[in-house]
Amino acid sequence: MSPTDEIPAAAPLRDKLRKLGLERRLDLVLHLPLRYDDETKLTPLAGAPVGQPLQIEVLIVEISLKPAPRRQLLVTVVEAVNGGVPIDQRDSLVLRFLSFHGSQLRILELARDQGRRLRVFGEIREGFFGLEMVHPRYRVIDESCEQLPVALTPVYPTTAGLSQTALRRLIGRARSETDLSEILDAGWCAAHALPSLADALAVLHAPPPSVDTEVLNQRAHPAWRRVKFDELLAQQLSLRRAYLARRRQAAPRLALLNDLTDRLKATLPFVLTAAQHRVVHEIALDLAQAYPMQRLLQGDVGSGKTIVAALAACQAIAAGYQVAFMAPTEILAEQHYLKLRSWLTPLDVEVVWLSGRQRQSAKRLSKQQTASSAQLIVGTHALIQDKLDFARLGLAIVDEQHRFGVMQRLELRRKGGNPHQLMMSATPIPRTLAMSYYADLDVSTIDELPPGRTPVRTRLFAEHRRAEVIDRLRQSVARGRQAYWVCPLIEESPKLELQAALDTYAILSGELPELRIGLVHGRLKSADKAATMAAFVAGEIDLLVATTVIEVGVDVANASLMVIEHAERFGLAQLHQLRGRVGRGVEASVCVLLYQPPLSEAARARLKVIFQHHDGFEIARQDLQLRGPGEFVGSRQSGVPLLRYADLNADGDLVELAQQLAGQLLCDDPDRATRHLQRWLGRREELLRA
Ligand code: ADP
Ligand code: MG
């Protein structure tokens, strides 16, 4: 039976299965239980625990139909084992059904009249009228099914109109018809305490009586580990293969040594840190290859990624190619534009600004230049979204790449042939996550900050001490420093968030009449935004009131105080990014987190982490622990991982193992790798080849 074998089913059933992502017989076999119910034993009704799934065997003593206020069916039952004689009130139980069919009612009535037993599975709870079970699973016992099952009962993820019983039957049939011959080396599996796939699946679909329900439900059983490993291996293989495939494509070789790079270095008012030197070199070597670079430049906030990118740009420009430089927000893109222009125009590089918000005429001109003479094009993702022709794109640089979706990353790859790609991110992600999300990239890391920075001191203030904060702000500005005031984040409503920013601006203007105060928020026209930012950079504004538009990348060295209002609403990564906006000069900086008590447990934990830690990687690690990986990389990234069972946080050791074996298989036994991929990903792998 081949892995592409489709499930033979009529159209309505096929549609339901497709909703579950099940197309092949094999998909059914790899469709694994959410949890297990223990139907192997009966619990005596007397003293049965409340709030736990359990199975009882009962006789029906009464059936009543309640027409109002809500039609429902109430079935009073008593313990069956002692002949149905209720010992006391406590031993009777009401089964309550809010929706039911007439046929169901008739079957129950028949069972009552014939005195037949009912086997019921559910959770007892304290109802309004005593103990009850709402919508339990039940079955009238006849001769043929008197025996209790010997194995735990798997409960599968399903969809409306597809019962567990039907799904179980389909899976059972598919299992008997599917070839599960082992793909991995048996000795290797044994050495890593992993059972064969066939054995693992047998345990997971039909656990033997000896298996502990808890261990299975926690997914800690070796059978689960094998499945998770296989899945991670498929992910590694497919990302790695996509990486290798792109390596076989052609890209322009950009000569390593060039005058432009040297001239830019010579004009800088600082010397590169050792870490910057190292990554500049890694990137430069990559650009000189005949295949497209696919590199991620990781570095904490303020580590100086922009200059590294600019040096890479010089290498491409010197070789006669164009460079596209994209940032996720207008403000950030504009800052980059201004900075790059100030660095490169004196060196006679033609730098062009392109944004979705530009006036038509300006935009048309920028596009024309992009199609002809422009050497560096800076902008937002208008660069990939618009119909835009590059004359000869050699390098694409994407700042804060985690803000862009995977699809946009792929899109860029298709733009202008096969440009070299440099992605930058200040969101450090823990190793096991990185291995998974960035397995298709080479990674360079800047692991040191430029010298002379004084660490930012973080202070926590409850809202009622706001007056003290305002005082501090006044003093700081009196000493010639600048400050940010970050307005509350209101995720559920951009409109309310804007209003909050306007209110804050008005209040602060009233409280601090002697200060020059500016306001930036996402709804501002880009020219106004740019003007305000430029005034802040030039020191003509003392206090910049802002929404989170300043979260990424903004760089004003003289700003040494940041106040974040309602800090408890922000995520850890955001707080770290925001705080990174200060502490960029030699002046000691302070970040004040104003919070509104009482704090939720989660908010308290976050504020504690941000108070105690400054290192982005450590904060990311703690963030992962607090939140789990699902949310971590953001929903926009979630198209790629292809993981249903493995948990990148809990199964870190398996990720490493999978990465090792993936490398080995692709090298030594590509056919085996292909078979594994087909088994686990089927069509889904195409997503990655795009
Ligand atoms: P990020 O990595 O967060 O993008 P930036 O590239 O914005 O950081 O750099 C932060 C600030 O540090 C900028 O003002 C930049 O000019 C400055 N900078 C970068 N490299 C160095 C260095 N080696 N020495 C001193 N200052 C530097
Ligand atoms: Mg930056």
Side-chain angles (χ1 to χ4, degrees):
M1 209 72 40
S2 97
T4 51
D5 212 21
E6 299 224 346
I7 303 165
L13 176 58
R14 211 165 47 224
D15 287 346
K16 283 178 202 144
L17 291 173
R18 201 163 278 158
K19 265 198 201 147
L20 295 168
L22 309 176
E23 304 200 349
R24 311 165 301 165
R25 278 199 175 93
L26 189 58
D27 296 333
L28 274 170
V29 177
L30 299 177
H31 190 62
L32 296 174
L34 279 175
R35 62 183 165 83
Y36 297 87
D37 286 339
D38 188 354
E39 296 181 32
T40 61
K41 41 184 192 285
L42 296 172
T43 306
L45 193 50
V50 171
Q52 281 175 28
L54 49 84
Q55 183 169 244
I56 50 177
E57 217 165 81
V58 291
L59 291 172
I60 301 174
V61 290
E62 191 186 337
I63 296 177
S64 65
L65 259 177
K66 273 234 173 82
R70 205 175 149 196
R71 202 173 102 94
Q72 46 183 297
L73 174 64
L74 302 175
V75 181
T76 309
V77 298
V78 294
E79 188 80 82
V81 281
N82 55 23
V85 183
I87 301 164
D88 64 41
Q89 195 56 29
R90 240 172 86 24
D91 294 332
S92 78
L93 181 74
V94 173
L95 313 181
R96 185 139 62 129
F97 300 90
L98 298 166
S99 72
F100 54 93
H101 295 294
S103 60
Q104 222 173 325
L105 179 57
R106 281 190 295 282
I107 290 173
L108 287 168
E109 281 171 344
L110 196 67
R112 177 195 56 193
D113 298 344
Q114 298 181 345
R116 303 208 8 220
R117 285 189 238 172
L118 214 55
R119 198 171 280 169
V120 183
F121 191 94
E123 276 180 30
I124 298 180
R125 62 176 208 193
E126 312 261 11
F128 199 66
F129 299 106
L131 297 179
E132 63 177 20
M133 267 191 191
V134 180
H135 279 263
R137 219 168 42 237
Y138 66 88
R139 203 164 46 179
V140 179
I141 299 297
D142 58 35
E143 302 305 309
S144 68
C145 57
E146 281 268 327
Q147 287 288 10
L148 285 168
V150 288
L152 296 174
T153 311
V155 181
Y156 294 97
T158 187
T159 181
L162 184 61
S163 72
Q164 285 293 329
T165 325
L167 192 51
R168 253 176 237 145
R169 200 176 307 126
L170 284 165
I171 291 173
R173 189 176 325 132
R175 282 181 60 208
S176 66
E177 293 166 349
T178 306
D179 166 30
L180 282 176
S181 58
E182 187 55 50
I183 292 176
L184 306 184
D185 180 72
W188 187 92
C189 287
H192 293 92
L194 297 172
S196 74
L197 182 64
D199 286 351
L201 291 173
V203 168
L204 297 177
H205 285 296
S210 58
V211 181
D212 186 344
T213 330
E214 268 305 284
V215 176
L216 266 195
N217 278 337
Q218 306 271 321
R219 304 201 167 179
H221 194 279
W224 271 121
R225 283 178 57 83
R226 170 63 204 253
V227 164
K228 293 173 180 190
F229 174 78
D230 271 27
E231 192 178 54
L232 289 164
L233 179 63
Q235 187 198 39
Q236 290 293 330
L237 284 172
S238 100
L239 287 168
R240 207 60 209 161
R241 275 232 300 225
Y243 171 88
L244 292 171
R246 286 202 306 281
R247 271 216 163 187
R248 284 192 292 272
Q249 293 166 346
R253 276 182 189 273
L254 309 172
L256 192 55
L257 296 175
N258 71 84
D259 173 49
L260 191 57
T261 311
D262 296 340
R263 273 158 59 215
L264 175 56
K265 276 189 198 157
T267 64
L268 292 177
F270 51 77
V271 284
L272 297 183
T273 61
Q276 282 172 319
H277 264 300
R278 177 173 42 75
V279 300
V280 163
H281 191 62
E282 284 167 5
I283 294 166
L285 286 180
D286 243 11
L287 292 174
Q289 305 299 324
Y291 52 82
M293 171 172 83
Q294 22 193 346
R295 187 169 285 276
L296 177 74
L297 174 58
Q298 251 190 323
D300 209 346
V301 204
S303 60
K305 294 183 291 294
T306 319
I307 184 61
V308 172
L311 290 167
C314 286
Q315 189 172 340
I317 293 165
Y321 287 90
Q322 290 177 309
V323 177
F325 197 131
M326 290 202 306
T329 69
E330 196 93 2
I331 284 197
L332 183 53
E334 254 162 45
Q335 278 230 327
H336 280 322
Y337 171 65
L338 296 173
K339 184 141 228 174
L340 292 163
R341 198 179 59 176
S342 76
W343 278 336
L344 295 171
T345 338
L347 306 178
D348 291 326
V349 173
E350 187 181 335
V351 185
V352 165
W353 167 243
L354 190 83
S355 130
R357 305 248 190 101
Q358 251 172 327
R359 274 213 211 88
Q360 278 309 321
S361 54
K363 196 163 165 183
R364 199 171 320 122
L365 180 62
S366 295
K367 284 185 173 182
Q368 273 166 17
Q369 289 170 306
T370 304
S372 55
S373 58
Q375 291 170 295
L376 176 61
I377 301 100
V378 186
T380 56
H381 44 239
L383 290 193
I384 47 170
Q385 280 168 351
D386 283 21
K387 243 176 79 69
L388 183 63
D389 293 319
F390 289 90
R392 30 177 215 299
L393 185 61
L395 168 65
I397 299 170
V398 183
D399 195 16
E400 306 296 344
Q401 85 87 32
H402 62 284
R403 292 296 204 89
F404 288 96
V406 169
M407 290 331 268
Q408 282 163 315
R409 185 155 116 198
L410 297 176
E411 189 90 21
L412 191 66
R413 252 168 221 165
R414 284 194 279 263
K415 261 261 127 94
N418 259 323
H420 294 283
Q421 276 189 70
L422 180 64
M423 262 93 44
M424 303 198 279
S425 176
T427 303
I429 69 176
R431 210 176 113 71
T432 51
L433 270 187
M435 284 165 78
S436 197
Y437 287 91
Y438 297 145
D440 61 337
L441 299 173
D442 294 308
V443 180
S444 291
T445 306
I446 308 182
D447 52 8
E448 101 188 271
L449 293 180
R453 301 251 171 99
T454 345
V456 182
R457 267 189 304 140
T458 303
R459 305 285 312 270
L460 287 160
F461 281 87
E463 179 60 35
H464 62 82
R465 294 174 63 194
R466 189 184 156 102
E468 284 173 56
V469 175
I470 300 279
D471 250 9
R472 207 172 239 280
L473 184 64
R474 191 179 285 121
Q475 287 163 19
S476 167
V477 170
R479 288 199 315 269
R481 318 309 314 178
Q482 291 170 283
Y484 296 100
W485 187 290
V486 182
C487 299
L489 173 77
I490 304 175
E491 259 174 352
E492 51 287 4
S493 164
K495 216 163 129 192
L496 284 179
E497 185 165 303
L498 174 61
Q499 192 53 50
L502 296 172
D503 291 349
T504 308
Y505 176 70
I507 292 169
L508 289 172
S509 301
E511 285 174 318
L512 297 159
E514 71 276 28
L515 264 51
R516 296 165 299 172
I517 306 182
L519 171 67
V520 285
H521 55 74
R523 294 294 178 85
L524 226 49
K525 280 216 194 77
S526 71
D528 296 342
K529 222 180 330 187
T532 306
M533 286 310 295
F536 190 59
V537 172
E540 292 152 11
I541 286 178
D542 305 310
L543 174 63
L544 186 67
V545 178
T547 54
T548 50
V549 290
I550 60 152
E551 182 193 337
V552 284
V554 173
D555 180 33
V556 179
N558 191 46
S560 59
L561 175 64
M562 166 166 293
V563 180
I564 304 177
E565 218 180 327
H566 277 297
E568 77 280 0
R569 294 190 191 164
F570 291 88
L572 268 178
Q574 264 177 324
L575 288 173
H576 178 62
Q577 285 271 347
L578 282 169
R579 183 172 58 185
R581 300 304 116 215
V582 290
R584 303 204 141 208
V586 283
E587 187 79 5
S589 297
V590 176
C591 176
V592 173
L593 304 176
L594 255 182
Y595 65 90
Q596 178 79 64
L599 290 176
S600 72
E601 198 132 321
R604 183 183 303 275
R606 283 199 300 273
L607 292 181
K608 189 165 165 213
V609 170
I610 203 77
F611 177 73
Q612 288 179 333
H613 299 279
H614 285 89
D615 175 42
F617 279 96
E618 182 54 28
I619 291 171
R621 215 179 56 74
Q622 305 254 358
D623 201 12
L624 177 66
Q625 262 174 13
L626 291 176
R627 288 195 299 164
E631 276 179 78
F632 196 87
V633 185
S635 55
R636 276 177 271 181
Q637 283 282 31
S638 58
V640 165
L642 307 168
L643 296 177
R644 281 180 294 166
Y645 306 122
D647 170 342
L648 293 175
N649 195 19
D651 305 318
D653 61 326
L654 291 179
V655 181
E656 306 225 4
L657 204 55
Q659 194 186 43
Q660 275 170 26
L661 189 64
Q664 216 171 308
L665 278 183
L666 285 173
C667 229
D668 305 344
D669 204 343
D671 286 348
R672 240 203 279 194
T674 305
R675 274 199 294 148
H676 186 83
L677 275 170
Q678 276 176 350
R679 179 173 276 181
W680 279 93
L681 298 184
R683 293 209 183 131
R684 281 180 301 152
E685 206 210 346
E686 285 161 24
L687 225 180
L688 288 172
R689 297 242 189 80

